[in-house]
Amino acid sequence: MTIKDTPEEWETRATEFPFRGNKTSVRTDEVVMPDGTVVRRDYQVHPGSVAVLALDEQDRVLVLRQYRHPVRHKLWEIPAGLLDVPGENPLHAAQRELYEEAHVKAETWRVLTDVYTTPGGCDEAIRIFLARDLSEAEGERFAAEHEEIDLELARVPLDELVRGVLAGELHNNCLVVGVLSLVAARQGTGLEGLRPALAPWPARPFEV
């Protein structure tokens, strides 16, 4: 048996939107189960996101510390952000986030992994990129606002992040998945075996 996720869509009898927000919404579907019963499923509709694990020549990862109100924590994270428009090229979005949040650019890009963050309650899909050959970006720094005003930046050795993840001290999903995926890639086919930066992304199709 091949262990691989496959697309499938069960019959939906009715749909409504109890809440519509600026970026996300809540959707309620009446879904037909395999035994014929119909149940309601509530979930968040999300435009999709990108995240960047930026690795420098000293094997340090660029991380930032930001307040996240829903969980009442300041979390160490990797740069990340929403896809601003449907069909947006995720590589361009990732390059924008790295510039805006860290004022850094990268010459070498690969797809590290693709994940659904909370498939039981949200349709958000995230593409996590590996960015290398880093340098300071040109031009003015992006004007921070809201939670980003209090942003802290650091470069942390990869080994230290792995230790923090396994010790239960680091919790951001993109950081956790990205760091462990990087370690697994190195132990497997190597970083050159990762998918190219413009690899297809069925969860959020885009034009090259």
Side-chain angles (χ1 to χ4, degrees), residues 28-51:
T28 300
D29 288 341
E30 294 184 3
V31 186
V32 181
M33 298 289 107
D35 63 358
T37 59
V38 178
V39 301
R40 293 169 64 88
R41 291 289 178 259
D42 305 315
Y43 58 99
Q44 182 185 17
V45 178
H46 194 285
S49 306
V50 292

Side-chain angles (χ1 to χ4, degrees), residues 67-171:
Y67 176 66
R68 294 300 187 181
H69 187 70
V71 295
R72 278 36 172 206
H73 270 71
K74 272 192 171 182
L75 300 179
W76 285 103
E77 308 178 351
I78 57 177
L82 299 176
L83 296 172
D84 283 348
V85 295
E88 181 179 12
N89 187 311
L91 175 60
H92 297 167
Q95 291 169 334
R96 178 185 68 238
E97 294 300 328
L98 185 60
Y99 170 80
E100 290 182 356
E101 295 191 346
H103 202 67
V104 166
K105 64 179 181 178
E107 298 300 324
T108 304
W109 292 81
R110 293 275 184 168
V111 174
L112 192 52
T113 190
D114 299 324
V115 295
Y116 290 115
T117 54
T118 319
C122 180
D123 71 351
E124 181 183 15
I126 291 186
R127 169 157 282 188
I128 304 176
F129 289 91
L130 172 64
R132 292 175 290 163
D133 301 317
L134 309 181
S135 62
E136 188 79 5
E138 299 174 355
E140 295 183 6
R141 288 186 173 273
F142 184 74
E145 59 180 6
H146 306 308
E147 289 91 345
E148 293 179 351
I149 294 174
D150 194 40
L151 211 64
E152 300 174 50
L153 290 172
R155 296 195 182 198
V156 179
L158 177 64
D159 290 346
E160 177 63 16
L161 293 177
V162 171
R163 185 207 63 77
V165 168
L166 298 180
E169 298 169 355
L170 300 171
H171 306 90

